[in-house]
Amino acid sequence: MAIGILSTLLAKSETILGSGHSSVVSMNLFVALLCGCIVIGHLLEESRWMNESITALAIGLCTGIVILLTTGGKSSHLLVFSEDLFFNYLLPPIIFNAGFQVKKKQFFRNFMTIMLFGAVGTLISFAIISLGAIHFFKKMSIGNLKIGDYLAIGAIFSATDSVCTLQVLNQDDTPLLYSLVFGEGVVNDATAVVLFKAIQSFDLPHINTTIALQFVGNFLYLFISSTLLGVLAGLLSAYIIKKLYFGRHSTDREVALMILMAYLSYMLAEFFYLSAILTVFFCGIVMSHYTWHNVTESSRVTTKHAFATLSFVAEIFIFLYVGMDALDIEKWRVVSDSPGKSVGVSAILLGLILVGRAAFVFPLSSISNLTKKAPCDKIDFKQQVTIWWAGLMRGAVSMALAYNQFTSLGHTQLRGNAMMITSTITVVLFSTVVFGLMTKPLIRILLPSPKNRMLSSEPSTPKSLTVPLLTNGHDLEAYESDRNLITRPTSLRMFLSTPSNTVHYYWRKFDNAFMRPVFGGRGFVPFVPGSPIEQNDQQWQ
Amino acid sequence: MAIGILSTLLAKSETILGSGHSSVVSMNLFVALLCGCIVIGHLLEESRWMNESITALAIGLCTGIVILLTTGGKSSHLLVFSEDLFFNYLLPPIIFNAGFQVKKKQFFRNFMTIMLFGAVGTLISFAIISLGAIHFFKKMSIGNLKIGDYLAIGAIFSATDSVCTLQVLNQDDTPLLYSLVFGEGVVNDATAVVLFKAIQSFDLPHINTTIALQFVGNFLYLFISSTLLGVLAGLLSAYIIKKLYFGRHSTDREVALMILMAYLSYMLAEFFYLSAILTVFFCGIVMSHYTWHNVTESSRVTTKHAFATLSFVAEIFIFLYVGMDALDIEKWRVVSDSPGKSVGVSAILLGLILVGRAAFVFPLSSISNLTKKAPCDKIDFKQQVTIWWAGLMRGAVSMALAYNQFTSLGHTQLRGNAMMITSTITVVLFSTVVFGLMTKPLIRILLPSPKNRMLSSEPSTPKSLTVPLLTNGHDLEAYESDRNLITRPTSLRMFLSTPSNTVHYYWRKFDNAFMRPVFGGRGFVPFVPGSPIEQNDQQWQ
């Protein structure tokens, strides 16, 4: 249906394009394509191979071809890929929703492993890709790339895109794996962006120990202060909503305030040159732990689904756009005289990505396994392969960073820069489509049956059809963890063997004694009429 | 709290403004101000005088003053008022939500009166303001204004902004009045924009009968085709969601599809040069009648509140912006040598608005009363005064149209154009603040007690704290109208005396026999687990 509208639009766009009407045309086209992606994604839900990301990418590519043909090879892009659009509008809802919907217990239980993969792993991957790029590309004479460019390449191709894998993994069947892949994805995004910014701001050719230490210090400062800002923004929102009790007058104010405060945390982090990704992620976690419990029931349902929907649409938008942008003829013109070299560069990069990821997933998994006692907490070999595979795709973050590095000063006409842009597009398309298509079958082979069903009895949150309206994910999880808490300390052996549980135990004591009375949260919300959760919860305090 | 962040931001913005960072600064400021408006609006909820619009306007003005002082009188606006932003992003959610939340029964019951006020009334007001402007401004020699400019002034100042009044009126206490003011507001917006576009596109100095007829024909064409497009888009969304049964896999897809289809209808209307306001309004009505019933329960709650929140934020954003923009020093520079003339022009325009509105509200109310038999359907004098008052405020639509007419070709330096821009700002500020502040007390005097409680027992939809989650507004309304339908035909006298009920009766027959089986809607939805409404409804079919 949307395709029908699309062809009408395209027929008209030819005559109108270039006038002030052209933005209306491209918006129509984009919105219609988004609708098309959603409908087709729904129809392909049961498919063995496809998922929403690949569908959007494929539709974007097809649209690019159609536009290329109708405009006679002039231009395929109706919207110019803008970093502003990506980093200011599309990325925030995705990352915030990630924090908001994450199963906090699983996430913090595996926090050290996630940080190991996300931060240390990304640095290893960055080092291998940078060194590999220096080694291979210097021999190939592909234009004038500086040391900063090579390091930027390392950062660009360390930024994974685990959306495809997360769409396939089941949060209930494989909670450990899911939280690892998911958590690593977020920390990896943040690490790659922070690395990239650090590379751009430091005077790299004249590196010495002081600068290297500054680099590390800067990195740690960004990590810690970004996290703190996100936590503070989340707590502020919880405090305001609890104190002023917005639900008394209007649910809309609550929802609006949550969205705006989350967005404010992101923009404030940008303002202070911090890692906005980390900030908004932790803001999401804090909001789901405190703020979400302070609002009315309608607001809870609304925020939960509205955030998920925003994130969902932003994701499709990005893949659609990357698909359409890939066929922009201008980018390919400069490198069209040496297609072999372009393919070579992309192949080398893909190889480096494969090696760079293998070089940290398997060793770090072994290290992580050493610290775990319980066999269910260990990462077996099949799971290691899945984690390795999950981070092979490259996506919009890589694209945005590549555009920033290689087109920022307008010198795309330089051979080296043009080559890197087209190679990035090739790597993103190839990894998303080819690796992405193989994800579903691969995971079915590696993780054949619903196993590892450990703690969680929650239904999968993003598809909450069967969930009774309100006592969903968040409450169930907290409810269960409360129950576990009460029985756990009796078993001293288990208590000693899992130090992260000890931290968790003291955190919960602190949370119940100080944080929740001040910031609200389950069990400390003001009285909301008709809330059935109230009474059940109080008994656990 | 938000104010604290604001001052930090402002201190920094001085040093950074002008760099690429400035968009981040202004976004931070804006989001923080929005949060501030929401918090303050909440605190002033019980106030006798204030409402959210005036709060936002006042905060915007204060911010404008602070920026003016910190930048040393250079510039007060951080974001340039952009028609694109207003017409493409801020207006659609407001109008769509208006259609989505409207009490359809009351709206269609008073359809003829609403059209009388909204279309005919706006034309009368337009004629009086245009003629008055020609009469007075020609004598005052305020620059070189053409006949098209005078007609544009008529259209600009015919566009009312009834947000203030609607925030005060209670949908349950005065359903007739509410639906009249509300319906007129939407039709008036559409009429004013259509008029304005028609004036810009016709060659006005050489007017004759043919052109006048074309003008009328064009007007009718825009009205009918815009409505049809909106209805079609709504029906298409209902059909797709019913047929493909999205809820099976994901609630997010349903919500995303509803939002995107609504937005698509708006942009398609823009694309075909129709009245996008009318289109998206009727799309909202159709979606709430059919599509909304085809989605899962979570989606219903989410869409209802998400649309209301979007609309709410967009409204505050507009008032905030108008407030900040009003202090832009550049606009006032040209007219600063003759402040008396500027005040005179604004005063004349305010007088014309008062007269122009009185000239149609009272006569048209009498005409409307002639067609009604039941005394409760008649508009008494106090209600007429309320309707008159409700349309005296001018808002963002007037601003946007004035910018379009008087700054479009870059010749703001012309005295006449600069004068009209500053006068528009003055009229908008004065009418919103002064008339707006008097609205609450006035309505308390005119409509002192909860009277006129007739048909509706629904709780006020935008503040649905006390509403049990799902069987809210929409269903209750339909439920009641079904009950009325079954008893009504027995009373032949009443049946004959109210022809609109007859139309309503046949419409419902048609709706039940043909529309609902195809497009879903209450009683014809696919089976949704856990929906308690199902069984209750079937018995009325």
Side-chain angles (χ1 to χ4, degrees):
Chain A
M1 285 122 282
I3 308 297
I5 300 163
L6 161 65
S7 60
T8 323
L9 277 173
L10 276 171
K12 275 227 169 183
S13 73
E14 239 183 315
T15 51
I16 294 164
L17 218 83
S19 79
H21 209 58
S22 67
S23 77
V24 172
V25 173
S26 50
M27 290 200 58
N28 265 308
L29 183 61
F30 244 89
V31 177
L33 285 176
L34 282 174
C35 291
C37 287
I38 292 171
V39 171
I40 294 169
H42 170 76
L43 296 175
L44 293 176
E45 177 84 24
E46 310 285 348
S47 154
R48 268 182 70 86
W49 302 85
M50 298 297 278
N51 61 48
E52 215 109 30
S53 316
I54 301 177
T55 310
L57 205 58
I59 291 179
L61 276 172
C62 294
T63 317
I65 293 170
V66 172
I67 299 175
L68 210 60
L69 293 176
T70 46
T71 59
K74 265 196 298 184
S75 165
S76 83
H77 59 148
L78 284 171
L79 284 175
V80 181
F81 188 94
S82 125
E83 275 179 74
D84 255 21
L85 178 71
F86 178 71
F87 279 112
N88 287 351
Y89 302 102
L90 297 174
L91 200 55
I94 297 177
I95 306 286
F96 175 76
N97 185 56
F100 197 77
Q101 313 271 2
V102 72
K103 300 201 170 186
K104 293 183 292 293
K105 203 179 164 209
Q106 275 292 328
F107 181 80
F108 286 108
R109 196 186 167 86
N110 302 308
F111 191 71
M112 290 315 296
T113 315
I114 287 169
M115 290 305 289
L116 211 61
F117 280 125
V120 180
T122 306
L123 290 175
I124 294 174
S125 169
F126 156 74
I128 289 176
I129 295 171
S130 295
L131 293 173
I134 294 172
H135 178 76
F136 289 109
F137 295 171
K138 282 215 166 153
K139 288 185 194 157
M140 291 173 74
S141 68
I142 48 154
N144 185 31
L145 293 177
K146 301 199 191 75
I147 178 80
D149 289 331
Y150 288 116
L151 293 180
I153 291 169
I156 289 166
F157 291 103
S158 304
T160 65
D161 189 329
S162 38
V163 170
C164 279
T165 315
L166 289 177
Q167 284 178 351
V168 178
L169 281 182
N170 190 322
Q171 192 161 192
D172 304 318
D173 295 343
T174 53
L176 170 67
L177 201 55
Y178 189 93
S179 74
L180 285 181
V181 169
F182 176 90
E184 191 219 317
V186 175
V187 180
N188 165 285
D189 273 352
T191 312
V193 173
V194 169
L195 253 178
F196 184 80
K197 281 187 182 170
I199 290 164
Q200 284 199 322
S201 62
F202 278 87
D203 183 24
L204 287 159
H206 311 101
I207 203 155
N208 59 28
T209 324
T210 324
I211 292 178
L213 275 178
Q214 271 183 10
F215 188 93
V216 173
N218 190 29
F219 191 85
L220 286 176
Y221 158 75
L222 285 178
F223 246 94
I224 294 165
S225 51
S226 305
T227 305
L228 276 181
L229 179 62
V231 170
L232 283 178
L235 288 179
L236 182 66
S237 76
Y239 186 77
I240 291 177
I241 287 178
K242 178 166 186 264
K243 206 72 192 169
L244 300 181
Y245 187 13
F246 278 85
R248 190 177 47 197
H249 291 313
S250 154
T251 58
D252 303 337
R253 283 212 190 90
E254 295 179 329
V255 178
L257 208 63
M258 280 178 80
I259 294 174
L260 289 172
M261 291 285 286
Y263 194 64
L264 188 62
S265 79
Y266 187 92
M267 291 313 286
L268 273 177
E270 286 278 306
F271 178 72
F272 293 117
Y273 300 101
L274 302 176
S275 165
I277 293 174
L278 270 184
T279 302
V280 79
F281 178 72
F282 279 96
C283 182
I285 289 182
V286 172
M287 276 202 176
S288 79
H289 191 64
Y290 297 110
T291 320
W292 192 76
H293 293 278
N294 297 347
V295 298
T296 58
E297 297 196 355
S298 319
S299 297
R300 282 181 219 170
V301 181
T302 306
T303 46
K304 192 172 158 66
H305 291 287
F307 294 152
T309 305
L310 272 177
S311 161
F312 172 72
V313 173
E315 251 168 40
I316 299 181
F317 189 97
I318 289 172
F319 280 100
L320 194 58
Y321 186 71
V322 168
M324 280 175 81
D325 187 70
L327 279 171
D328 179 24
I329 202 79
E330 281 159 39
K331 299 194 186 72
W332 297 94
R333 206 158 273 159
V334 182
V335 294
S336 58
D337 54 335
S338 54
K341 196 174 278 182
S342 183
V343 171
V345 169
S346 305
I348 289 169
L349 285 171
L350 278 168
L352 288 173
I353 288 169
L354 287 165
V355 173
R357 189 159 176 86
F360 77 81
V361 168
F362 300 105
L364 292 182
S365 299
S366 310
I367 293 174
S368 167
N369 283 346
L370 288 179
T371 65
K372 305 279 167 113
K373 293 283 187 301
C376 72
D377 282 343
K378 294 199 178 188
I379 309 164
D380 68 26
F381 183 70
K382 283 181 174 177
Q383 289 178 324
Q384 293 179 19
V385 174
T386 310
I387 293 171
W388 173 69
W389 188 265
L392 291 180
M393 277 67 87
R394 295 297 174 271
V397 174
S398 299
M399 292 278 286
L401 295 181
Y403 276 102
N404 184 291
Q405 177 72 15
F406 297 111
T407 67
S408 58
L409 297 166
H411 45 45
T412 335
Q413 299 306 314
L414 287 176
R415 270 191 66 75
N417 288 358
M419 185 73 86
M420 288 323 303
I421 292 286
T422 53
S423 300
T424 309
I425 295 172
T426 313
V427 169
V428 167
L429 287 186
F430 185 88
S431 65
T432 306
V433 174
V434 177
F435 295 166
L437 278 179
M438 288 160 70
T439 302
K440 263 196 192 181
L442 187 85
I443 285 178
R444 288 209 185 149
I445 293 166
L446 289 175
L447 313 162
S449 62
K451 58 168 188 173
N452 289 352
R453 188 182 281 276
M454 307 186 314
L455 287 154
S456 173
S457 67
E458 302 157 62
S460 166
T461 32
K463 305 183 175 179
S464 52
L465 172 69
T466 54
V467 188
L469 262 180
L470 288 160
T471 47
N472 47 17
H474 292 84
D475 287 302
L476 274 175
E477 180 179 9
Y479 174 88
E480 283 209 37
S481 71
D482 264 340
R483 205 167 45 189
N484 290 340
L485 212 110
I486 283 161
T487 53
R488 194 176 296 137
T490 59
S491 163
L492 192 68
R493 197 194 56 78
M494 198 182 157
F495 181 67
L496 289 173
S497 69
T498 48
S500 72
N501 283 343
T502 322
V503 174
H504 188 239
Y505 173 75
Y506 284 110
W507 158 246
R508 285 201 70 85
K509 274 190 96 163
F510 175 69
D511 195 25
N512 286 329
F514 176 70
M515 298 297 277
R516 286 189 180 173
V518 176
F519 298 107
R522 196 185 43 79
F524 284 89
V525 295
F527 176 69
V528 179
S531 163
I533 315 156
E534 288 296 299
Q535 296 77 38
N536 299 340
D537 284 348
Q538 294 290 1
Q539 71 197 68
W540 297 115
Q541 302 311 327
Chain B
M1 284 124 282
I3 308 298
I5 300 165
L6 161 65
S7 60
T8 323
L9 277 172
L10 276 172
K12 275 226 169 186
S13 72
E14 239 183 314
T15 52
I16 294 163
L17 219 84
S19 78
H21 210 59
S22 68
S23 77
V24 173
V25 174
S26 50
M27 289 197 62
N28 265 308
L29 183 61
F30 242 90
V31 177
L33 286 176
L34 283 174
C35 290
C37 287
I38 291 172
V39 171
I40 294 170
H42 169 74
L43 296 176
L44 295 176
E45 177 84 25
E46 310 286 347
S47 154
R48 268 183 70 87
W49 301 85
M50 298 296 278
N51 62 46
E52 213 107 31
S53 316
I54 301 176
T55 310
L57 205 58
I59 291 178
L61 275 171
C62 294
T63 317
I65 292 169
V66 172
I67 299 175
L68 210 60
L69 293 176
T70 47
T71 59
K74 264 196 300 184
S75 165
S76 83
H77 59 148
L78 284 171
L79 284 175
V80 181
F81 189 94
S82 128
E83 275 179 75
D84 255 22
L85 178 71
F86 177 71
F87 279 112
N88 287 351
Y89 301 102
L90 296 174
L91 199 55
I94 296 177
I95 305 288
F96 175 76
N97 186 56
F100 197 76
Q101 313 272 3
V102 73
K103 299 202 171 187
K104 293 183 291 293
K105 201 179 167 210
Q106 274 291 330
F107 181 80
F108 286 110
R109 196 187 167 86
N110 302 307
F111 191 71
M112 288 317 295
T113 315
I114 288 169
M115 291 306 290
L116 210 60
F117 280 124
V120 180
T122 306
L123 289 175
I124 294 173
S125 167
F126 157 74
I128 288 175
I129 295 172
S130 294
L131 291 174
I134 293 173
H135 179 75
F136 290 109
F137 294 170
K138 282 214 166 154
K139 287 185 195 156
M140 292 173 73
S141 68
I142 50 153
N144 185 28
L145 293 177
K146 301 201 192 73
I147 177 79
D149 290 330
Y150 288 115
L151 293 180
I153 290 170
I156 289 166
F157 290 102
S158 304
T160 66
D161 189 329
S162 39
V163 169
C164 278
T165 315
L166 289 177
Q167 283 178 351
V168 178
L169 280 183
N170 190 323
Q171 192 160 192
D172 305 317
D173 295 342
T174 52
L176 170 67
L177 201 55
Y178 189 94
S179 75
L180 284 181
V181 170
F182 176 91
E184 192 220 318
V186 174
V187 180
N188 165 286
D189 273 353
T191 311
V193 173
V194 168
L195 251 178
F196 184 80
K197 282 187 181 172
I199 290 163
Q200 285 199 322
S201 61
F202 276 87
D203 185 23
L204 287 160
H206 310 102
I207 204 154
N208 59 28
T209 325
T210 324
I211 292 179
L213 276 178
Q214 271 183 10
F215 189 93
V216 172
N218 190 28
F219 192 85
L220 287 176
Y221 158 75
L222 285 178
F223 246 95
I224 294 165
S225 51
S226 304
T227 306
L228 276 182
L229 180 61
V231 171
L232 283 179
L235 289 178
L236 181 65
S237 76
Y239 186 77
I240 291 177
I241 287 178
K242 178 165 188 263
K243 206 71 193 170
L244 300 180
Y245 187 13
F246 278 84
R248 189 176 49 194
H249 291 313
S250 155
T251 58
D252 303 338
R253 284 212 189 89
E254 294 179 331
V255 177
L257 208 63
M258 279 177 79
I259 295 174
L260 289 173
M261 291 285 288
Y263 194 64
L264 188 61
S265 79
Y266 186 91
M267 293 312 288
L268 273 177
E270 285 279 305
F271 179 73
F272 292 117
Y273 300 100
L274 303 176
S275 165
I277 293 174
L278 270 185
T279 302
V280 80
F281 178 73
F282 278 96
C283 182
I285 289 181
V286 172
M287 276 202 177
S288 79
H289 191 66
Y290 296 111
T291 320
W292 193 76
H293 293 277
N294 297 347
V295 298
T296 59
E297 296 196 358
S298 319
S299 297
R300 282 182 220 169
V301 180
T302 306
T303 46
K304 191 173 160 64
H305 290 287
F307 293 152
T309 305
L310 272 177
S311 161
F312 172 71
V313 173
E315 251 169 39
I316 299 181
F317 189 96
I318 289 172
F319 280 101
L320 194 58
Y321 187 71
V322 169
M324 281 175 80
D325 188 71
L327 279 171
D328 180 24
I329 201 79
E330 281 159 40
K331 299 194 185 73
W332 297 94
R333 204 157 277 160
V334 182
V335 293
S336 57
D337 54 333
S338 53
K341 196 174 278 183
S342 184
V343 171
V345 170
S346 306
I348 289 169
L349 285 171
L350 279 168
L352 287 174
I353 288 169
L354 287 165
V355 173
R357 190 159 176 87
F360 78 82
V361 168
F362 299 105
L364 292 183
S365 298
S366 311
I367 293 174
S368 168
N369 283 345
L370 288 179
T371 65
K372 303 279 166 109
K373 291 286 186 300
C376 71
D377 282 343
K378 293 199 178 188
I379 309 165
D380 67 27
F381 183 69
K382 283 180 175 178
Q383 289 178 324
Q384 292 178 19
V385 174
T386 310
I387 294 172
W388 173 69
W389 188 266
L392 291 181
M393 276 68 88
R394 295 297 174 270
V397 173
S398 298
M399 292 280 284
L401 295 181
Y403 277 104
N404 184 291
Q405 177 72 16
F406 296 110
T407 68
S408 58
L409 297 166
H411 44 46
T412 334
Q413 299 307 314
L414 287 176
R415 272 191 64 76
N417 287 359
M419 187 73 87
M420 288 322 301
I421 292 286
T422 54
S423 301
T424 309
I425 294 172
T426 313
V427 169
V428 167
L429 286 187
F430 185 87
S431 65
T432 306
V433 174
V434 178
F435 294 167
L437 278 179
M438 289 161 70
T439 302
K440 264 194 191 181
L442 187 85
I443 286 179
R444 288 211 186 147
I445 293 166
L446 289 176
L447 312 163
S449 63
K451 58 170 189 174
N452 288 352
R453 190 181 278 278
M454 305 186 316
L455 287 154
S456 175
S457 67
E458 302 158 61
S460 165
T461 32
K463 306 184 176 180
S464 52
L465 173 67
T466 53
V467 187
L469 261 179
L470 287 160
T471 48
N472 47 16
H474 291 84
D475 287 302
L476 275 174
E477 180 179 10
Y479 174 88
E480 282 208 37
S481 70
D482 263 340
R483 204 168 44 190
N484 291 341
L485 212 109
I486 283 163
T487 53
R488 191 175 297 138
T490 59
S491 161
L492 192 66
R493 196 194 56 79
M494 197 182 160
F495 182 67
L496 289 174
S497 68
T498 48
S500 73
N501 283 344
T502 323
V503 173
H504 189 239
Y505 174 74
Y506 283 111
W507 159 247
R508 286 201 69 84
K509 273 191 97 162
F510 175 68
D511 195 24
N512 286 330
F514 176 70
M515 299 297 275
R516 287 188 180 175
V518 177
F519 298 107
R522 195 184 44 78
F524 284 90
V525 295
F527 176 68
V528 179
S531 164
I533 315 155
E534 287 297 298
Q535 296 78 36
N536 300 340
D537 284 348
Q538 293 291 1
Q539 72 196 65
W540 298 114
Q541 302 311 325

